[in-house]
Amino acid sequence: MDPEAFDGAAGTALLLVMPLSVLFVAAALRRAGAPRWTWALYLLGAAGALVLLHVAGHTRYDGPSDGHFPWDVGQFAGLGLGRIGVAVNAVAATLWIAPGRRPYTEPLPRRENRLVVAAYCSAALATVVPATWWSVGLGIVPVGVELPVVLAGVGFLAAAVLLRRRRQRASGERELLPETVWPVDAVVAIGLAGVLAVGPSFSGSGLPDPSSERDPAVVTDRPAPTTDPEWPGPTPVTRTSLGPAAVEAGTRALLEDTVRWAGPLDDLSSPTPAAAEPPAVALVPERCDDRGRRWTGSLVLPSARPQDLAPRVLSGWKASGYAPVDRAMGTDLVMPLRTDAAVERMRLGGGPDGVHVTVESFCVPD
């Protein structure tokens, strides 16, 4: 599963869906007419769930390793805020319902009431399954597991509503303005919970696949690292075998490929989301100190999500025979690993206007 989609689906399950489960449990207890002492068990169960969620905070999933920014912010922010939501909802539901200070609830015959309780219990299960699936290390719950639970809750509620309408028609009761919002509130709550629980699963299920973020047009073969014990990473080359024309053409081509690897760009000056035109590629010839010449170029790639753009550019550079050799002040220094490379060093950094790229070719004799 694409790591970004995985992070979004997990964040939704933990932040929005999980806190709803305690509300559906409370609604089921209320409809079932549970005695007052059961609310102590309800709070104890919510506290136990919070302990399990704290343990779930140690769950880790492998994701992209080339990014400048964490790829899994959504799910762990969702976990932290979702735990607060579970605690707040559990306490609020108990204080509202347990003391008996609750609004009038339409009484239902036994069979209809049981169907409503079953609908609430199914909704509670549907809203807790995605978070449980994530916390035990299985990732995103498949649609085939989640959808039947949601449909069961919808079916129980639909049966209760149909029986109610049939009972009203058979008794000849006039349709008056309802004294409560039931069953509209139940229909809206279960419908919204079902959409939130099942919707993210349609973007994929299972575990994140870091390889899915790579540009399919980019070759993924990577050069072998050096065996030099003084340097843990690959060893860059210090000269090129190319001539002046090939160095100039190769430097220009690498900048053009960088724009392509960056993908869609954003117009940061627009008050609404809008696409930006790709920057023009231009080279500046310079004289070298020890005779010869080189070519330099720079790009500014405007993006509202530089944490997504930078890894794509780095991935393309690596596939072209370059590798990061140093990083300082948020700027990566990238150098070649092959003697047929045109560019001697590249820098990748960021600023308020987007991702900054500068390249400098090898010096070649005139």
Side-chain angles (χ1 to χ4, degrees):
M1 183 177 180
D2 178 74
E4 276 195 19
F6 178 92
D7 189 44
T12 300
L14 296 167
L15 175 61
L16 301 179
V17 180
M18 179 177 63
L20 294 177
S21 59
V22 293
L23 295 180
F24 283 117
V25 172
L29 291 175
R30 178 186 182 184
R31 265 293 174 184
R36 191 170 298 180
W37 60 266
T38 58
W39 291 96
L41 297 179
Y42 169 75
L43 289 177
L44 186 62
L50 291 176
V51 173
L52 294 177
L53 290 173
H54 176 73
V55 176
H58 300 286
T59 303
R60 292 292 181 269
Y61 293 93
D62 293 330
S65 58
D66 294 336
H68 295 284
F69 301 90
W71 68 276
D72 51 5
V73 172
Q75 54 193 306
F76 293 109
L79 178 62
L81 297 176
R83 286 184 292 192
I84 297 175
V86 169
V88 171
N89 288 348
V91 172
T94 302
L95 294 177
W96 180 255
I97 300 174
R101 298 190 305 268
R102 54 185 183 274
Y104 172 80
T105 301
E106 178 180 340
L108 297 175
R110 187 174 182 181
R111 183 171 58 171
E112 295 176 28
N113 201 63
R114 285 181 174 179
L115 286 172
V116 175
V117 171
Y120 285 145
C121 290
S122 298
L125 180 61
T127 50
V128 81
V129 164
T132 304
W133 207 270
W134 176 90
S135 64
V136 298
L138 296 178
I140 304 302
V141 59
V143 176
V145 174
E146 181 73 357
L147 186 59
V149 182
V150 173
L151 293 179
V154 172
F156 287 134
L157 182 62
V161 173
L162 289 176
L163 287 175
R164 173 178 177 268
R165 290 180 61 86
R166 182 182 299 176
R167 173 171 50 83
Q168 288 179 338
R169 290 178 179 177
S171 63
E173 297 178 3
R174 293 181 58 190
E175 290 291 339
L176 302 176
L177 291 176
E179 298 182 40
T180 69
V181 294
W182 199 91
V184 176
D185 57 345
V187 172
V188 172
I190 292 180
L192 179 61
V195 171
L196 290 175
V198 177
S201 297
F202 283 102
S203 62
S205 61
L207 303 176
D209 180 14
S211 63
S212 64
E213 277 207 340
R214 298 173 185 166
D215 186 346
V218 174
V219 180
T220 57
D221 294 336
R222 298 186 178 185
T226 180
T227 58
D228 184 359
E230 299 297 327
W231 172 247
T235 301
V237 299
T238 57
R239 61 177 57 89
T240 181
S241 60
L242 302 178
V247 167
E248 180 182 6
T251 303
R252 185 183 303 276
L254 188 63
L255 282 174
E256 293 173 347
D257 287 339
T258 297
V259 175
R260 178 172 60 86
W261 292 325
L265 303 177
D266 301 315
D267 185 357
L268 301 181
S269 63
S270 174
T272 58
E277 291 295 326
V281 173
L283 296 181
V284 178
E286 297 180 354
R287 302 300 301 180
C288 300
D289 295 337
D290 53 350
R291 292 180 300 178
R293 54 178 170 166
R294 66 161 58 96
W295 289 266
T296 62
S298 62
L299 297 171
V300 176
L301 305 171
S303 175
R305 294 181 59 85
Q307 68 270 29
D308 298 334
L309 188 151
R312 293 196 294 266
V313 172
L314 274 177
S315 179
W317 286 355
K318 289 181 180 180
S320 300
Y322 297 83
V325 298
D326 191 19
R327 190 182 191 201
M329 303 298 291
T331 299
D332 285 325
L333 174 63
V334 183
M335 299 184 71
L337 304 177
R338 302 196 306 249
T339 57
D340 60 347
V343 175
E344 183 178 14
R345 60 178 59 87
M346 299 179 285
R347 289 182 173 83
L348 180 69
D353 53 350
V355 176
H356 293 195
V357 175
T358 60
V359 302
E360 183 178 314
S361 77
F362 280 100
C363 279
V364 289
D366 294 327

